Amino acid sequence: MPLRELPTESKAAAALLRTEVITHRRTIRRSGRHGVMLACLAAGVAFAVLVPGPAGTGCYLWRASTQPVSGRGAALALPVAIVLLVLVDRLSADRFRLRRQVRSIGTAAIGVTTVTAWTGFAAQGRPSCATSPAVIGTIVCGTLATAVAAHWATRSTAPWTVPEEGSGEASAEPLNQSELRAVFVRLSDQVDSWTPFRFQLFPFVTGALAVLLVLSTVLPWRELVDPVALGPTAAEAGLARSQLWEIPPARPWAFIVCGLAVATLLSTGLVRRAAAVATGSVVVAGLVSQLLWLPPSLPNGVGYRTAVGAWIALGLGLCLCAAAVLRAHRRRLPVLAGAAAVGVLAGLLVPSATEAPYQPSVVAGVPHRLLDLQGGQLVDRLGMRVSIGTSDPLDSVAWTLDGSPGQWLLGRTGSESSTVFAYDDVALPQVTLNHGPTPPALWGVTDNHVVVLAGGARGQPWAILSVPLDLVTADISLSHKNKDGSYYVTPGVDVLATGIGPALSHRNADRSIVVWGSTTTWQFPANQLRKGIRLADFVVDPGPGAPGNAVSTGPDGTTAWRTSETGLAMARPGGVPQQLTGVAPAGCVLSSDAASSSMTVDAFTVDVRGNVWLGGGAPASVITPDGVLRKLPGGAEGVDSIEARPDGSVLLGTSPGGGDQVLEIPDAASAAASYPAAPPPDPRCDRRKPADGTTTFEATPVPAVPVVGAAGVSTQLALDATGRLVRVRVPLAARAFAPDGLGGVWWTVVDRRSMESAVHLVGGRTAVVRDPQPVPGSQKGEYAAAAGDRVVSALGGGLYNLYGPGDAVRRVPVKGELRPNGLVQLASGQVAMVLGEQLVLVDNRPTVLLGGSTSGWPVSATGLPAAQLTADGTWFTGPDGKLWGYDGCHLVRVDAPGHVTVIAGPRQGVPQAADHVTVIGQALYFQLGNELIRLQAAR
């Protein structure tokens, strides 16, 4: 090198200054702790937005909901704004003024986005949004990010200025060899310690892409083409709507990509590049293979196309592979190729999100939670949230009536409307039903029509309707009629049958549907639900008490029906009806004999193998064909409704306190016989051998009884002026009422002066007896009993008014708590009461007739001390004027203290589990549900 080209002292100093400039720019280019904090806050916001909180909050920022959340767009944009601020700050590191402007504008953008999101959340009008983890996490992280960005913008590093060349008094003399060596050593150290910007950015880029790929595994990658919109006009039909939810088969994707992302972020060199290539290969190979395997449409015929989630993941995977291979050394290419091959193999072997529908793992006999209603929203097995449409969850869940695949859900979308969803693989809206305040019951779908039972509440009209699924909305209001007398419904909706309520329905395992009203029960085979059906052709009456009550049948011919409020009966093919519930003494625990178990049955059903399932106040149980009662393993308390399906499974509708649930027992019919049998009944509870009485009766169903009298809710059997049996409406002002045993009715009223009067209606004429003493205002009459021209009314507080004969009135105090149906006025003038656990004859001196034990023997038991008998049952004055009792199974008469005579039992014609008993002359009238049975002694 010529001497003139050797660096002078000034040139060497200038080179050193330029090296310092490069070092300083590299230093200020780094984001520092502010950038790291912003990156962490962006991850926190993304986590709060993409991961939904508990279902009870009802405020979701990402997954679909029937109640969209305002501010969701701002919440989704917040993490993007934070990440963009960090990236743009890195790119503008060489220009100080531009960098300060970027930080200031970024701070304002983050703040405005946070305020916009909070304003949207606050305007929801739903208090649950204030406690939603998603909302709290978004607002807190956004606020902290605004504060960090503001501090970053105000504390920016000042630029480092370079002195002008030639400044100072540097010597122009050439440097000696030792000085030259020192200068070049320092320069080489500075240059070797600097690496190009692209290699510093590689860990950040690869890690960010890997994290985004992890998030893309839970983003939707299918966009459903919804042929039916939820709007009120048909113009919105064909609207493309994205349904967002987590797909359970995609979880292995998240685990694999998350592990590779961690390896990419924590490793260096060749390991980092191999992890990046493997991550990208897994995603690319897996997505491409799934896109090739997609069926042309969903099982329910709905089309779809690949959504934004798939394209984002595919693009990020390709970018990650390219970033890892770019400028890689040739000797490293075989290693990267091996990592790519492993990634492709893993992507092809990862379970596809379009595989067979999710099947829950269940234990034999243990209910599986199929659907949950928490905080007013239904969560199905794929994570879709829909507000349930009916008070009974089983009225909102249905299957296809012809047995083809398909599951349907009636979801509530408004105060007076519901939407039918197809939720076999996804929850897709089909048609909106405008029905008013009373939601319809969903029966099922057949021939692209949904069949529902609408209306029928408290005397209102009801109708069986067939609604096409290709309608946008359907008006099924039954409050208006056309000029021809038909109900007004949306054109295209078929009215299959109509009636006047009440009307309730139940689906059976033999693919039939039962509807019961006030006095009639109909059973429709699913394949005969067509327009113009005649209700008279489908009336069913399997036994006493069945008309107007629920009936359930199985394919083998087993039939169960409700006979009264507490009674349930069953008939096997070729057998005689047998009573199942309503006849056991109080306090009898669950035993192998249902009739000997004291239970309240709220719901029942017969499955495909003849098993009778029971649910209600007692634990869920099943009666197998051998007649043994078996308790359901695993337990299911508080069952409100039960349904047996044709595939052998059983659904239970429960309300455990946190919201309604639908439990499924997939193997119910086949596993019922393996359930452990309940223990044998106690001797005092055993109803398998009822006692025989001394008198045989003849039971005769009574035709429809006309209702007469003024407006009133309660009715009482009586005889009119012509001796015809009628139901007399009792005035609304009546505090208590009772039959007199001869065809008349007594009731008591209190006037404005707190004076009580007893009114006696006989043969269409009334007589009034007034009590001269006022009734204390704090006391309320509840019960009354009568016999002929005498009546006794309970005023409360241990006070009783005794009227008759004539105008005689006297007030008697009696100590003890009066039990319902435990007040009897005898023809002799004496009064009997059930006080506590004892039946007492009230006279000048009270006489205990029987009872005294809460777990005593029934009154039909013989050879036992009177103190061991129970006073449970209904007590009244018999046709002979003496004290009679009915315990749901037998008629008994109390002849003397401790002496009870069994008059008749089931074999002598006594109806079982009747609701009420009324004596008129020598006949006894038993109310069995909506049916009236007259009992008279056989001649």
Side-chain angles (χ1 to χ4, degrees):
M1 178 182 297
L3 183 61
R4 65 178 179 272
E5 295 180 3
L6 292 176
T8 62
E9 182 179 356
S10 61
K11 292 181 179 180
L16 290 176
L17 287 175
R18 291 188 181 94
T19 305
E20 294 296 336
V21 170
I22 294 174
T23 304
H24 185 70
R25 286 180 175 178
R26 185 187 63 178
T27 301
I28 65 175
R29 186 180 289 118
R30 295 173 181 172
S31 300
R33 62 179 184 275
H34 295 89
V36 174
M37 293 176 63
L38 287 175
C40 295
L41 291 173
V45 174
F47 181 82
V49 170
L50 297 177
V51 179
T57 60
C59 203
Y60 307 99
L61 304 184
W62 187 249
R63 300 210 301 196
S65 170
T66 56
Q67 298 175 337
V69 179
S70 299
R72 179 184 303 189
L76 295 174
L78 185 57
V80 178
I82 298 174
V83 173
L84 286 178
L85 173 60
V86 177
L87 292 178
V88 175
D89 179 80
R90 293 289 300 271
L91 295 176
S92 61
D94 294 335
R95 304 180 62 181
F96 176 73
R97 293 183 178 179
L98 177 61
R99 196 178 196 188
R100 295 198 64 172
Q101 293 177 359
V102 167
R103 293 181 178 179
S104 300
I105 296 174
T107 301
I110 295 174
V112 171
T113 306
T114 303
V115 172
T116 303
W118 169 246
T119 303
F121 298 151
Q124 295 297 306
R126 287 181 286 170
S128 60
C129 282
T131 59
S132 170
V135 172
I136 293 175
T138 302
I139 298 304
V140 170
C141 292
T143 304
L144 293 177
T146 304
V148 171
H151 185 268
W152 200 15
T154 57
R155 298 294 296 272
S156 300
T157 306
W160 190 80
T161 59
V162 181
E164 297 180 0
E165 293 188 10
S167 62
E169 298 180 356
S171 174
E173 296 295 328
L175 300 178
N176 56 35
Q177 187 175 4
S178 61
E179 291 174 334
L180 287 173
R181 184 182 297 108
V183 170
F184 282 107
V185 167
R186 185 175 180 183
L187 287 174
S188 62
D189 291 340
Q190 293 289 345
V191 172
D192 292 341
S193 64
W194 178 82
T195 54
F197 175 75
R198 60 179 177 272
F199 294 108
Q200 289 288 335
L201 192 61
F202 180 73
F204 176 79
V205 173
T206 55
L209 290 176
V211 171
L212 290 176
L213 286 173
V214 174
L215 296 178
S216 69
T217 60
V218 298
L219 295 182
W221 56 274
R222 290 187 299 184
E223 183 181 13
L224 302 178
V225 181
D226 184 2
V228 179
L230 295 180
T233 63
E236 299 181 14
L239 177 65
R241 184 181 298 107
S242 294
Q243 306 288 338
L244 311 179
W245 60 84
E246 290 181 1
I247 303 175
R251 292 173 184 170
W253 279 76
F255 295 148
I256 293 177
V257 179
C258 185
L260 294 175
V262 172
T264 304
L265 290 172
L266 299 181
S267 59
T268 58
L270 181 60
V271 177
R272 176 185 294 163
R273 292 180 179 273
V277 171
T279 305
S281 301
V282 165
V283 176
V284 173
L287 276 176
V288 171
S289 63
Q290 290 195 32
L291 294 178
L292 293 177
W293 293 336
L294 286 178
S297 63
L298 298 178
N300 56 10
V302 177
Y304 57 88
R305 57 175 175 262
T306 306
V308 64
W311 299 120
I312 290 177
L314 190 61
L316 292 178
L318 292 174
C319 292
L320 193 57
C321 293
V325 178
L326 186 65
R327 300 183 64 86
H329 198 277
R330 293 182 179 180
R331 291 178 297 179
R332 299 179 176 181
L333 291 180
V335 178
L336 298 181
V342 174
V344 170
L345 182 62
L348 295 176
L349 296 180
V350 169
S352 172
T354 59
E355 61 183 4
Y358 168 70
Q359 295 295 334
S361 57
V362 296
V363 180
V366 178
H368 169 74
R369 185 172 297 174
L370 178 65
L371 298 172
D372 251 335
L373 184 60
Q374 300 176 351
Q377 285 189 325
L378 188 68
V379 183
D380 73 359
R381 61 191 184 188
L382 292 180
M384 184 65 185
R385 283 158 169 80
V386 179
S387 299
I388 200 167
T390 60
S391 57
D392 181 1
L394 294 189
D395 280 344
S396 288
V397 180
W399 280 255
T400 54
L401 297 176
D402 59 0
S404 59
Q407 302 179 68
W408 305 84
L409 169 69
L410 186 70
R412 198 67 176 267
T413 58
S415 60
E416 295 188 355
S417 64
S418 299
T419 301
V420 178
F421 291 85
Y423 78 106
D424 188 13
D425 184 29
V426 295
L428 177 67
Q430 295 290 331
V431 58
T432 298
L433 308 177
N434 298 320
H435 50 69
T438 304
L442 179 62
W443 284 1
V445 174
T446 179
D447 297 331
N448 200 36
H449 285 64
V450 58
V451 182
V452 297
L453 174 66
R458 295 195 176 187
Q460 298 299 316
W462 59 264
I464 303 174
L465 303 176
S466 178
V467 183
L469 288 174
D470 55 3
L471 287 178
V472 176
T473 60
D475 189 351
I476 59 175
S477 174
L478 303 179
S479 58
H480 305 285
K481 286 188 176 183
N482 299 320
K483 294 181 178 180
D484 59 356
S486 61
Y487 289 108
Y488 170 76
V489 293
T490 300
V493 177
D494 294 331
V495 180
L496 306 185
T498 61
I500 301 299
L504 300 172
S505 64
H506 176 80
R507 291 183 295 264
N508 290 324
D510 61 355
R511 299 194 186 280
S512 65
I513 301 175
V514 171
V515 179
W516 63 96
S518 57
T519 58
T520 311
T521 301
W522 302 273
Q523 186 171 9
F524 306 95
N527 59 359
Q528 298 186 29
L529 287 170
R530 59 178 60 93
K531 188 175 181 180
I533 58 177
R534 296 179 65 254
L535 295 180
D537 298 337
F538 299 96
V539 176
V540 294
D541 185 6
N549 272 322
V551 175
S552 180
T553 58
D556 66 341
T558 300
T559 304
W561 67 94
R562 189 177 296 280
T563 61
S564 61
E565 294 179 0
T566 60
L568 192 69
M570 177 189 65
R572 299 283 183 186
V576 296
Q578 54 180 319
Q579 197 71 28
L580 296 180
T581 62
V583 295
C588 292
V589 297
L590 210 65
S591 63
S592 58
D593 179 48
S596 303
S597 306
S598 180
M599 64 173 69
T600 301
V601 177
D602 295 328
F604 65 96
T605 190
V606 180
D607 66 18
V608 294
R609 296 196 176 185
N611 303 301
V612 181
W613 296 81
L614 310 176
S621 54
V622 57
I623 303 175
T624 49
D626 57 2
V628 177
L629 181 69
R630 304 173 188 273
K631 185 179 177 181
L632 177 65
E637 304 292 340
V639 176
D640 300 324
S641 54
I642 305 181
E643 178 185 332
R645 296 190 292 179
D647 60 358
S649 62
V650 168
L651 297 183
L652 308 176
T654 67
S655 300
D660 292 339
Q661 294 180 354
V662 176
L663 307 179
E664 181 184 24
I665 311 176
D667 60 344
S670 58
S674 64
Y675 298 168
D682 295 337
R684 74 175 188 88
C685 300
D686 197 344
R687 289 293 193 182
R688 291 174 293 185
K689 295 181 179 180
D692 290 335
T694 59
T695 306
T696 301
F697 288 85
E698 293 179 351
T700 306
V702 179
V705 178
V707 180
V708 298
V713 177
S714 301
T715 61
Q716 177 63 59
L717 285 176
L719 300 177
D720 62 6
T722 63
R724 183 184 57 165
L725 184 65
V726 295
R727 290 187 182 273
V728 177
R729 291 193 182 96
V730 180
L732 293 174
R735 290 165 46 124
F737 59 92
D740 64 1
L742 301 175
V745 180
W746 282 91
W747 65 81
T748 60
V749 293
V750 176
D751 57 19
R752 297 179 180 178
R753 299 176 299 169
S754 298
M755 307 295 289
E756 185 183 73
S757 301
V759 181
H760 191 196
L761 174 64
V762 181
R765 296 183 179 182
T766 59
V768 180
V769 180
R770 292 181 173 84
D771 179 15
Q773 304 181 54
V775 177
S778 60
Q779 297 176 352
K780 179 181 179 181
E782 298 177 350
Y783 310 109
D789 57 352
R790 298 176 182 268
V791 64
V792 56
S793 66
L795 303 178
L799 295 178
Y800 299 85
N801 271 352
L802 279 69
Y803 296 88
D807 295 332
V809 182
R810 59 193 180 103
R811 183 167 297 177
V812 177
V814 180
K815 295 182 180 179
E817 182 181 357
L818 180 67
R819 293 176 58 179
N821 300 321
L823 182 62
V824 183
Q825 172 69 66
L826 299 176
S828 61
Q830 296 176 311
V831 177
M833 303 178 184
V834 179
L835 302 175
E837 302 297 334
Q838 293 181 329
L839 179 62
V840 179
L841 185 64
V842 179
D843 206 343
N844 295 330
R845 296 185 60 183
T847 303
V848 178
L849 300 178
L850 55 88
S853 176
T854 57
S855 59
W857 289 69
V859 293
S860 58
T862 58
L864 293 172
Q868 294 187 15
L869 298 178
T870 179
D872 294 332
T874 301
W875 299 93
F876 55 92
T877 301
D880 56 1
K882 295 184 179 180
L883 180 61
W884 283 36
Y886 173 69
D887 63 355
C889 189
H890 301 85
L891 283 174
V892 298
R893 184 180 64 238
V894 180
D895 295 323
H899 189 272
V900 179
T901 301
V902 179
I903 299 175
R907 282 192 287 263
Q908 286 76 47
V910 177
Q912 304 294 283
D915 294 326
H916 305 287
V917 182
T918 303
V919 177
I920 300 180
Q922 298 299 312
L924 290 83
Y925 293 88
F926 290 78
Q927 188 73 40
L928 290 174
N930 299 308
E931 194 172 11
L932 191 63
I933 305 296
R934 180 172 54 235
L935 204 67
Q936 290 180 315
R939 297 181 180 179

